[in-house]
């Protein structure tokens, strides 16, 4: 079993069953810089049904995605 990550649109957060993912609520998830996307992670071999059909990423893949300007504001913290 390995941890998996799935990016979802921010407007899909209401459909997340937080008992099936590692995050605890909409208040504890990280959003993209523009606030339109977020992601959840889970450790089970069975994909939660609300994530069916969505692309799953490994830890190294999600780290590369989160390092982009879409997810990390290059101006924060300000110099």
């Amino acid at each position: 079993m390995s941890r998996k990550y799935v990016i979802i649109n921010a407007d899909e957060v209401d459909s997340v069953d937080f008992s099936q993912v590692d995050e605890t609520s909409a208040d504890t998830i990280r959003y993209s810089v523009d606030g339109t996307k977020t992601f959840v992670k889970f450790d089970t071999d069975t994909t939660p049904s609300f994530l069916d059909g969505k692309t799953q990423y490994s830890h190294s893949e999600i780290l590369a995605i989160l390092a982009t300007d879409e997810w990390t504001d290059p101006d924060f913290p300000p110099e």
Side-chain angles (χ1 to χ4, degrees), residues 12-28:
E12 296 176 273
V13 170
D14 290 342
S15 69
V16 173
D17 179 349
F18 286 99
S19 69
Q20 295 183 33
V21 295
D22 291 348
E23 291 72 27
T24 57
S25 73
D27 297 326
T28 62

Side-chain angles (χ1 to χ4, degrees), residues 30 32-33 66-78:
R30 177 177 169 181
S32 58
V33 172
L66 296 178
T68 65
D69 288 349
E70 183 178 11
W71 290 90
T72 304
D73 187 344
D75 298 324
F76 186 82

Side-chain angles (χ1 to χ4, degrees), residues 13-54:
V13 170
D14 290 342
S15 69
V16 173
D17 179 349
F18 286 99
S19 69
Q20 295 183 33
V21 295
D22 291 348
E23 291 72 27
T24 57
S25 73
D27 297 326
T28 62
I29 54 180
R30 177 177 169 181
Y31 288 88
S32 58
V33 172
D34 67 5
T36 62
K37 296 179 185 174
T38 187
F39 68 95
V40 293
K41 57 188 173 285
F42 59 96
D43 290 319
T44 64
D45 288 328
T46 304
T47 302
S49 61
F50 61 90
L51 297 174
D52 280 343
K54 299 202 179 288

